Amino acid sequence: MARLLGLDDDYIMDQFGEKADTYARFSYYPECPRPELVFGLKPHSDGSVLTVLMVDDTIGGLQILRDGVWFDVPIVPHTLLINIGDQTEIMSNGIFKGPVHRVVTNAEKERLSLALFYSVDPEREIEPATQLVDEKRPALYRKVKVKDYIAGLYEHVSQGTMVIDTVKI
Ligand SMILES: O=C(O)CCC(=O)C(=O)O
Ligand SMILES: [Fe+2]
């Protein structure tokens, strides 16, 4: 990914720091008698650098927002889904986007997923890589401490707002 951005190969790895964090979230979505009224997981982008997602291979539900339209993410058995998170969006100055996604519920079937979130050391600050900022493309995000960014995540998801918007310039 760093190479695609024209950065040193180790640029993103170096940002993680000595105390990079990994969180695992197991999600269980029970059958829901009124799927049209209840989300399994509200629309959000991940606050991570990257997320590795193992989704249930018997039942869909994950959807991704593109140009204002929600698309079903196809189930591909025995694969891991890699999602870009907001920390990469910030460091890449918006060249990589953390896609907005959600999980819809299902009336007949329960669903399981496991997400592993890889994050920069929470005590470190992140900002757009200086090599990706110039007059033509000014910094689109301000510098932010990772711990502060992550602290805002749940509140924003529950309010239906996007935490990434709070660091946009
Ligand atoms: O359950 C899923 O497929 C997605 C989970 C997810 O987006 C998350 O935990 O952030
Ligand atoms: Fe997510």
Side-chain angles (χ1 to χ4, degrees):
M1 283 171 67
R3 201 177 297 171
L4 282 173
L5 294 167
L7 302 171
D8 289 345
D9 282 7
D10 293 338
Y11 183 88
I12 294 174
M13 289 310 290
D14 289 346
Q15 297 300 308
F16 274 99
E18 294 286 302
K19 294 194 172 147
D21 250 347
T22 308
Y23 304 88
R25 177 153 69 212
F26 291 86
S27 300
Y28 170 65
Y29 306 91
E31 301 94 329
C32 173
R34 302 291 303 273
E36 71 284 7
L37 295 180
V38 183
F39 284 129
L41 199 54
K42 284 181 164 185
H44 66 283
S45 54
D46 293 344
S48 52
V49 175
L50 282 179
T51 307
V52 178
L53 196 61
M54 195 166 91
V55 291
D56 204 310
D57 58 11
T58 61
I59 176 86
L62 180 60
Q63 296 183 329
I64 188 164
L65 186 63
R66 187 157 187 197
D67 300 329
V69 181
W70 287 102
F71 293 92
D72 289 325
V73 175
I75 300 171
V76 185
H78 312 300
T79 57
L80 296 171
L81 189 74
I82 312 290
N83 192 24
I84 285 176
D86 296 344
Q87 293 178 39
T88 296
E89 180 165 331
I90 294 168
M91 291 190 279
S92 71
N93 200 23
I95 295 174
F96 286 124
K97 300 276 185 228
V100 175
H101 52 285
R102 69 181 184 186
V103 179
V104 293
T105 45
N106 188 287
E108 274 96 45
K109 283 204 71 177
E110 60 187 8
R111 178 177 183 276
L112 282 171
S113 72
L114 167 59
L116 282 178
F117 301 95
Y118 292 90
S119 170
V120 166
D121 175 351
E123 297 298 336
R124 288 180 63 129
E125 292 181 322
I126 52 167
E127 63 183 332
T130 46
Q131 300 90 319
L132 302 176
V133 176
D134 59 26
E135 273 174 23
K136 279 203 215 119
R137 193 179 175 88
L140 300 177
Y141 310 86
R142 65 177 172 81
K143 188 188 273 193
V144 62
K145 193 170 190 174
V146 170
K147 188 159 87 179
D148 298 338
Y149 192 85
I150 306 253
L153 277 176
Y154 293 102
E155 185 60 23
H156 278 274
V157 174
S158 65
Q159 301 289 324
T161 51
M162 294 292 153
V163 65
I164 189 97
D165 290 340
T166 64
V167 296
K168 284 186 180 159
I169 293 174

